[in-house]
Amino acid sequence: PYEEQIAAIDKGVGGGYLVTMMGGAQGHHPGRVAEFDNGMRLVGEFPSEPPAEGFNPHGISVRPEANLMVTSDFICPSSTLAATPGDLSLRGSVRVWDFKGRRIVKTVDIPGAGGPIDVRLIPKDSQVRAYTAGMAADKLYLIDTKNGTATAVFDFATIAKGGWPQLIRLTDDGKRLFITLNLAGKVAMLDTSNPAAPK
């Protein structure tokens, strides 16, 4: 399995962590989110019955106080062995989870996004929204976890067209977002004081 992103969790008994796995033993979907305790023992793999298609989680973000977790589906790992780049099976969805129940409650489809590698819940946001970026679309999307929608709120082509926006970090107050533009060799910092209109 592909162990990609890790999120620390606090269960009140010494902690633990979650690991996204984009694929299974055959190298394709469905992937899983694995939970380990603080002794590195496997607690379980979730969800118990994963979505039938396109479940290749890579990015992960957790807000335990809101009973919320999000993951982003990036790519079918076995497609990276394709002969041509056009054969890559890039995904385009964010999954909204019941954190305590470790189950998916919503799928947010983002047509044309092409590979949302990361997803981040906005710290302290009363509307429990998140950000993800579409590599192929050159866009930053604001995810409404309550209504299950995604809205493009920033165009990275204004910085570097085709730059492949990928890894996201937010400051603790949620007012600054940092994102790598991997093909462009840049890191962008956005003012996210108004989450719906970053600049």
Short mmCIF file of all heavy atoms in Angstrom, two decimals, residues 17 56 58 74 83 89 95 107 116 149 154 167 184:
data_model
loop_
_atom_site.label_atom_id
_atom_site.label_comp_id
_atom_site.label_asym_id
_atom_site.label_seq_id
_atom_site.Cartn_x
_atom_site.Cartn_y
_atom_site.Cartn_z
N TYR A 17 -2.30 7.81 15.11
CA TYR A 17 -2.25 8.53 13.85
C TYR A 17 -2.98 7.78 12.74
O TYR A 17 -3.26 6.58 12.85
CB TYR A 17 -0.81 8.84 13.44
CG TYR A 17 0.08 7.63 13.28
CD1 TYR A 17 0.30 7.05 12.03
CD2 TYR A 17 0.72 7.07 14.37
CE1 TYR A 17 1.12 5.95 11.88
CE2 TYR A 17 1.55 5.97 14.23
CZ TYR A 17 1.74 5.41 12.98
OH TYR A 17 2.56 4.32 12.83
N ASN A 56 -9.00 6.78 -3.89
CA ASN A 56 -7.54 6.74 -3.81
C ASN A 56 -7.05 7.90 -2.93
O ASN A 56 -6.48 8.87 -3.42
CB ASN A 56 -6.91 6.84 -5.20
CG ASN A 56 -7.33 5.72 -6.12
OD1 ASN A 56 -8.07 5.94 -7.07
ND2 ASN A 56 -6.88 4.52 -5.84
N HIS A 58 -5.21 10.52 -0.67
CA HIS A 58 -3.83 10.99 -0.51
C HIS A 58 -3.78 12.05 0.58
O HIS A 58 -3.18 11.87 1.61
CB HIS A 58 -3.29 11.53 -1.84
CG HIS A 58 -1.85 11.91 -1.79
ND1 HIS A 58 -1.38 13.01 -1.12
CD2 HIS A 58 -0.76 11.32 -2.35
CE1 HIS A 58 -0.07 13.09 -1.25
NE2 HIS A 58 0.34 12.08 -2.00
N PHE A 74 -6.49 11.35 -5.19
CA PHE A 74 -5.47 11.92 -6.07
C PHE A 74 -5.33 11.17 -7.40
O PHE A 74 -5.60 11.70 -8.47
CB PHE A 74 -4.14 11.98 -5.33
CG PHE A 74 -2.96 12.34 -6.17
CD1 PHE A 74 -3.01 13.39 -7.08
CD2 PHE A 74 -1.78 11.64 -6.06
CE1 PHE A 74 -1.92 13.73 -7.86
CE2 PHE A 74 -0.67 11.98 -6.82
CZ PHE A 74 -0.74 13.02 -7.72
N ALA A 83 2.39 4.08 -20.14
CA ALA A 83 3.44 4.46 -21.11
C ALA A 83 3.43 5.95 -21.42
O ALA A 83 4.46 6.54 -21.67
CB ALA A 83 3.27 3.65 -22.38
N SER A 89 -4.71 8.07 -14.44
CA SER A 89 -6.08 8.13 -13.92
C SER A 89 -6.13 9.09 -12.73
O SER A 89 -6.16 8.67 -11.57
CB SER A 89 -6.56 6.74 -13.50
OG SER A 89 -6.71 5.91 -14.62
N ARG A 95 -13.54 13.56 0.01
CA ARG A 95 -14.48 12.80 0.84
C ARG A 95 -14.61 13.48 2.20
O ARG A 95 -13.61 13.86 2.81
CB ARG A 95 -14.00 11.37 1.05
CG ARG A 95 -13.55 10.64 -0.20
CD ARG A 95 -14.67 10.26 -1.13
NE ARG A 95 -14.10 9.61 -2.33
CZ ARG A 95 -14.77 8.85 -3.15
NH1 ARG A 95 -16.05 8.63 -2.95
NH2 ARG A 95 -14.19 8.32 -4.20
N THR A 107 -19.43 12.77 -0.66
CA THR A 107 -18.39 12.85 -1.67
C THR A 107 -18.61 14.15 -2.44
O THR A 107 -19.70 14.40 -2.95
CB THR A 107 -18.44 11.66 -2.64
OG1 THR A 107 -18.15 10.45 -1.90
CG2 THR A 107 -17.42 11.81 -3.77
N PRO A 116 -6.49 16.28 -7.07
CA PRO A 116 -6.32 17.04 -5.82
C PRO A 116 -5.46 16.24 -4.84
O PRO A 116 -5.93 15.34 -4.18
CB PRO A 116 -7.75 17.22 -5.31
CG PRO A 116 -8.54 16.12 -5.95
CD PRO A 116 -7.85 15.77 -7.23
N THR A 149 -20.15 20.88 -1.56
CA THR A 149 -19.87 21.60 -2.81
C THR A 149 -18.43 22.09 -2.84
O THR A 149 -17.78 22.24 -1.80
CB THR A 149 -20.81 22.81 -2.98
OG1 THR A 149 -20.61 23.71 -1.88
CG2 THR A 149 -22.27 22.38 -3.05
N PHE A 154 -9.49 30.66 -6.61
CA PHE A 154 -8.24 31.29 -7.02
C PHE A 154 -7.69 30.55 -8.23
O PHE A 154 -7.76 29.33 -8.31
CB PHE A 154 -7.21 31.26 -5.88
CG PHE A 154 -5.97 32.08 -6.18
CD1 PHE A 154 -5.96 33.45 -5.96
CD2 PHE A 154 -4.84 31.47 -6.69
CE1 PHE A 154 -4.82 34.20 -6.25
CE2 PHE A 154 -3.70 32.21 -6.98
CZ PHE A 154 -3.70 33.58 -6.76
N LEU A 167 0.95 20.73 -2.49
CA LEU A 167 0.92 20.59 -1.04
C LEU A 167 0.52 21.88 -0.35
O LEU A 167 1.07 22.94 -0.63
CB LEU A 167 2.27 20.09 -0.53
CG LEU A 167 2.72 18.76 -1.16
CD1 LEU A 167 4.09 18.39 -0.67
CD2 LEU A 167 1.71 17.66 -0.90
N ALA A 184 6.41 24.52 -11.37
CA ALA A 184 6.92 25.89 -11.52
C ALA A 184 8.09 26.16 -10.57
O ALA A 184 8.78 27.18 -10.72
CB ALA A 184 5.80 26.90 -11.25
#
